[in-house]
Amino acid sequence: FRLKQTRHSLGNLLYIWSRINHSVGYLQGMHDLASIITCAIYFDYQIFNNSSDESNDEDEDDVKIQKNTQTLETLLDPKYMEHDIYAIYDALLKLTVKFFEAAVPPKHNSDDDDDDDDDDDGGDDRGEFARHLNRGLFDSGSNCSLYLKLHYLQHKLLKHFDLSLYSHFEGIGLSPQLFMLRWIRVIFSREFFLDQIIKLWDELFVSE
């Protein structure tokens, strides 16, 4: 990203996506996702180009390998590298764009003027709240609040798998919004080295 051309290309990517998706626009952290994708695609192009140079020196006669090489040459044409990066970035944002919403508690519909109604509605709300907590991270139901996702991760998953750490967080009053938001929104891209992030993303996106 020290190269002006790379920075210009990244800026074009973010600008075009935000203009096409004007209802969302650009939100802080989206450039982190675009940067990781740019690096990953660039590495693929570099690896292929280097391997192509080596195979040419060896005078490879295997027809099958030659056909595969021609296919890769078409797929990894440097003229379309920006197109490839944008396509992957767009697909990723379609999956994760809701991670950038505000992590605020959901509103409960209750009648404050009637204590009996409060009890009934409150019970319904708590039941609905609990049902949403049991949904996964990529929930696309009627209530896909990021707050509920964070609540699910800390008060369900963390509590189940590491009770001592969960109890410590509860003891010091550490809410998940204070440390999980960045992890989820940029998918750990600020927490690890680049090669580790690419391996982590591969595992996250190919696992069921």
Side-chain angles (χ1 to χ4, degrees), residues 33-188:
L33 302 178
S35 299
I36 300 299
I37 295 172
T38 299
C39 289
I41 296 297
Y42 176 79
F43 292 157
D44 284 345
Y45 275 71
Q46 290 297 106
I47 292 172
F48 173 73
N49 290 331
N50 292 337
S51 63
S52 296
D53 294 338
E54 293 176 0
S55 63
N56 289 335
D57 294 338
E58 297 173 358
D59 294 328
E60 181 60 62
D61 295 328
D62 192 320
V63 177
K64 184 177 181 180
I65 293 180
Q66 289 179 356
K67 289 183 178 180
N68 290 337
T69 300
Q70 292 174 354
T71 301
L72 287 174
E73 286 177 348
T74 302
L75 293 175
L76 298 177
D77 188 338
K79 294 185 299 184
Y80 302 107
M81 184 168 69
E82 288 188 357
H83 305 68
D84 295 340
I85 294 172
Y86 181 89
I88 296 175
Y89 177 75
D90 181 58
L92 177 61
L93 262 294
K94 288 180 179 178
L95 180 66
T96 64
V97 69
K98 284 191 174 294
F99 294 171
F100 290 90
E101 68 184 12
V104 295
K107 294 180 180 180
H108 296 295
N109 296 322
S110 59
D111 187 354
D112 295 331
D113 296 330
D114 191 327
D115 291 339
D116 293 334
D117 289 344
D118 279 347
D119 293 339
D120 294 339
D121 292 341
D124 292 341
D125 287 338
R126 284 191 296 271
E128 185 67 16
F129 186 81
R131 283 192 292 274
H132 287 306
L133 285 180
N134 292 322
R135 294 182 178 179
L137 188 61
F138 295 104
D139 172 35
S140 59
S142 60
N143 189 343
C144 51
S145 165
L146 180 59
Y147 175 87
L148 291 177
K149 298 181 192 301
L150 296 176
H151 195 285
Y152 172 81
L153 289 172
Q154 178 152 324
H155 298 289
K156 290 291 183 178
L157 296 184
L158 181 61
K159 184 177 181 180
H160 175 76
F161 289 105
D162 196 334
L163 182 59
S164 61
L165 181 59
Y166 170 79
S167 300
H168 175 68
F169 284 173
E170 288 296 290
I172 63 176
L174 182 61
S175 62
Q177 294 94 315
L178 297 178
F179 67 98
M180 283 191 194
L181 276 178
R182 187 175 74 176
W183 294 357
I184 292 179
R185 284 175 174 166
V186 299
I187 319 179
F188 300 102

